[in-house]
Amino acid sequence: MTGPGLLTALWLTPLVGALLVVVAPGSARRAARPLALVTSLVVLGLAVVLAVRFEPGGATHQFVESRPWIPAFGATYSLGLDGIALVLVLLTAGLMPLLLLAGWRDADGPDGSTGRRAQAYPALLLATQGLALVAFTSLDVLLFYVAFEAMLVPLYFLIGAFGGTDPGSADRARAAVRFLLYNLLGGLVMLAAVITLYVHTDRAGLGPDGRGTFDHRLITDAVADGRLQIPSGAALLLFAGFTLAFAIKAPLWPFHTWLPGAAVAATPASAVLMMAVVDKVGTFAMLRYSLPLFPGAADTATPVMVTLAVISIVYGGLMAIAQTDLLRLIAYASISHFGFIVLGVFAATPRSAAGATLYMVNHGLATAALFLVAGFLVHRHRTREIGRYGGVQQVAPVLAGVFLVAGLATLSLPGLAPFISEFLVFVGTFEVYPVAAVLATATFVLAAVYILWTYQRVMGGPVATGLEATPDLTARERVVLAPLVVALIVLGFYPQPALDVIDPAVAATVAHVDGAPR
């Protein structure tokens, strides 16, 4: 398959796979999960083909597809891939087979029986993946918005109908509704901003027929050369409308409160998909849409965004230390890490933005490893309470070892993948906001406390009562975690291939923002 059509195949494959999985008749029900796994491997293969064919020094957007979608409104079905989107596509495609394996039995009945739930669960995971891939590759603002909102639907059911270890369905339902309401609120505000942006493009006659357009490339080019000049007050409101939705999705303090409840209510596989992939759509969109579309407004709002990012970093770390719930601790740690990503995005230097992009990938890998291994432990004993554990390393040494490696990656130990991305964010931010960079370094101490203290309590010491027969990782669980650990080590020592892809796209974005008229 040549470039045109490859991106369509990338997102359409998981959606078609999801449909086939969910409509499989009863006689083929046992094949639903293997079919979902095969589908995810096909998507991964397509992503690898894209990565191999991608030219880092080539055009900004490659594999471009564009055709009319809603001509009356200037909306097009436009897809394309730059270096920023490519690494997130690889993350999304690479994680899905592992998540399907990790959640292989999550939808089984208490007696191990399979039914429609066992079909719906992998289908919803694949549907979420497909919509996330549309969001990462879209070059049309309206198409992005549709995918941005549509992915809430399968996630709502993944949280509410296929919960993890919460004691009752009511808890899962509340978490799912809270997740949906928060994100719908942001989406409604963004919709008003999208429509208003279209009105401004219509007045400027940016579309091919002299009307309005949703084409991201046309709009950003017009912003850069001054053909689209939105009054500063209106631009600030539009920036706020877009960025509010992205900050809720990310999530950024103070819009974060839906995440801890959703993370513990969902199964570990669903929670990882949410935190490692779907939430990245928010931070990706800040870099793709908030900055290039409204550079003047972004300048005005940057001090506020940097302040919120630093608060997220410190707040997330402090709340993680205070947790007695193992999975909720990891969720708060993610809030702290999202603060780093947002800090790098809005510092808007080549180093900080490259670090933020790489951090999106590295956080996804580290969080996936840590949350999944913690989820495997919680599944064995049906409790998330840290105080109920102790001495696990004596009875399940491989599980404890993976937890330690994933935890050390979470605190950005040198030699593991998150370190270099966090270092780039610090260095890039220090160039323009030294006080914020210095304050953000507090996370080193906080992360060391909540990771090492948790490891000591859960894995160290004498074996707690009832944990004497804790089984170590199974073969399936080792297959899930091994690629994540390898990726964390490889990217920790040799991140340059990823940066070679990221740097040109980031440099183009930063140059566009810096060069746009104010």
Side-chain angles (χ1 to χ4, degrees):
M1 184 178 295
T2 58
L6 194 56
L7 292 181
T8 295
L10 181 73
W11 70 261
L12 193 57
T13 298
L15 291 184
V16 172
L19 180 62
L20 293 176
V21 167
V22 82
V23 301
S27 58
R29 199 164 288 167
R30 289 188 176 274
R33 286 179 291 205
L35 176 59
L37 181 60
V38 170
T39 300
S40 69
L41 291 173
V42 172
V43 176
L44 177 57
L46 291 172
V48 171
V49 170
L50 286 167
V52 171
R53 294 185 181 180
F54 188 84
E55 299 177 6
T60 301
H61 296 104
Q62 300 178 32
F63 311 102
V64 173
E65 305 174 37
S66 186
R67 55 185 66 92
W69 177 33
I70 312 176
F73 298 104
T76 59
Y77 172 78
S78 295
L79 304 177
L81 205 62
D82 64 1
I84 299 169
L86 175 60
V87 295
L88 293 172
V89 164
L90 288 170
L91 174 69
T92 304
L95 283 179
M96 184 52 62
L98 305 180
L99 297 183
L100 287 168
L101 282 173
W104 197 256
R105 298 293 181 186
D106 283 350
D108 288 357
D111 58 353
S113 61
T114 60
R116 284 294 181 186
R117 284 172 54 85
Q119 292 175 261
Y121 180 66
L124 290 168
L125 290 174
L126 288 174
T128 306
Q129 180 194 35
L131 293 168
L133 291 170
V134 176
F136 288 135
T137 58
S138 174
L139 296 179
D140 184 274
V141 177
L142 185 60
L143 179 62
F144 169 83
Y145 174 78
V146 171
F148 184 82
E149 288 296 281
M151 69 179 71
L152 300 179
V153 177
L155 267 178
Y156 169 78
F157 288 106
L158 284 170
I159 297 168
F162 299 92
T165 58
D166 262 357
S169 60
D171 296 323
R172 297 196 298 269
R174 281 194 293 269
V177 169
R178 193 173 193 178
F179 157 80
L180 189 64
L181 291 178
Y182 264 75
N183 284 275
L184 280 179
L185 173 63
L188 289 173
V189 175
M190 182 182 171
L191 178 59
V194 168
I195 294 171
T196 306
L197 176 63
Y198 173 81
V199 171
H200 284 282
T201 66
D202 186 51
R203 291 173 180 172
L206 296 184
D209 56 0
R211 293 189 293 181
T213 183
F214 289 103
D215 190 302
H216 177 265
R217 294 165 296 172
L218 291 178
I219 298 173
T220 53
D221 287 346
V223 169
D225 61 24
R227 288 180 292 124
L228 179 60
Q229 297 184 355
I230 303 174
S232 58
L236 190 59
L237 289 175
L238 291 175
F239 170 87
F242 275 75
T243 308
L244 174 64
F246 305 153
I248 292 173
K249 182 84 79 179
L252 182 70
W253 185 93
F255 312 110
H256 66 284
T257 55
W258 63 267
L259 177 62
V264 300
T267 65
S270 300
V272 169
L273 180 63
M274 178 176 63
M275 292 189 291
V277 174
V278 173
D279 291 352
K280 298 303 189 311
V281 176
T283 51
F284 163 81
M286 291 178 185
L287 192 56
R288 170 63 64 86
Y289 295 97
S290 295
L291 295 184
L293 292 179
F294 316 106
D299 284 347
T300 303
T302 288
V304 174
M305 298 303 298
V306 167
T307 300
L308 293 180
V310 172
I311 293 174
S312 289
I313 292 167
V314 177
Y315 170 85
L318 291 173
M319 289 299 294
I321 292 173
Q323 297 308 304
T324 59
D325 181 315
L326 182 59
L327 300 185
R328 194 175 288 268
L329 181 153
I330 300 171
Y332 275 107
S334 282
I335 293 171
S336 181
H337 297 148
F338 279 115
F340 270 109
I341 296 171
V342 174
L343 181 64
V345 168
F346 281 94
T349 65
R351 284 193 184 93
S352 72
T357 303
L358 186 60
Y359 211 155
M360 295 182 209
V361 177
N362 292 338
H363 169 266
L365 297 172
T367 295
L370 187 60
F371 207 94
L372 288 177
V373 73
F376 292 152
L377 178 62
V378 168
H379 179 74
R380 283 157 165 74
H381 298 288
R382 300 296 176 180
T383 178
R384 303 192 308 266
E385 289 299 314
I386 294 173
R388 299 284 297 276
Y389 292 98
V392 174
Q393 64 185 6
Q394 299 183 41
V395 291
V398 178
L399 186 152
V402 174
F403 187 95
L404 179 61
V405 172
L408 293 175
T410 299
L411 64 82
S412 298
L413 184 76
L416 294 173
F419 170 74
I420 186 62
S421 45
E422 199 164 289
F423 178 77
L424 287 171
V425 170
F426 276 130
V427 171
T429 302
F430 193 83
E431 296 173 9
V432 287
Y433 295 102
V435 174
V438 170
L439 291 175
T441 59
T443 190
F444 286 125
V445 176
L446 298 177
V449 171
Y450 65 71
I451 290 297
L452 298 179
W453 189 32
T454 299
Y455 183 86
Q456 181 182 18
R457 288 182 290 170
V458 174
M459 305 297 173
V463 179
T465 303
L467 270 64
E468 297 86 356
T470 301
D472 212 336
L473 294 177
T474 65
R476 174 175 60 86
E477 292 167 343
R478 296 184 190 205
V479 169
V480 170
L481 294 170
L484 297 171
V485 172
V486 170
L488 288 170
I489 295 172
V490 171
L491 285 174
F493 282 96
Y494 190 49
Q496 196 57 49
L499 290 172
D500 286 343
V501 172
I502 292 169
D503 283 343
V506 164
T509 300
V510 172
H512 168 87
V513 173
D514 290 343
R518 300 308 200 257

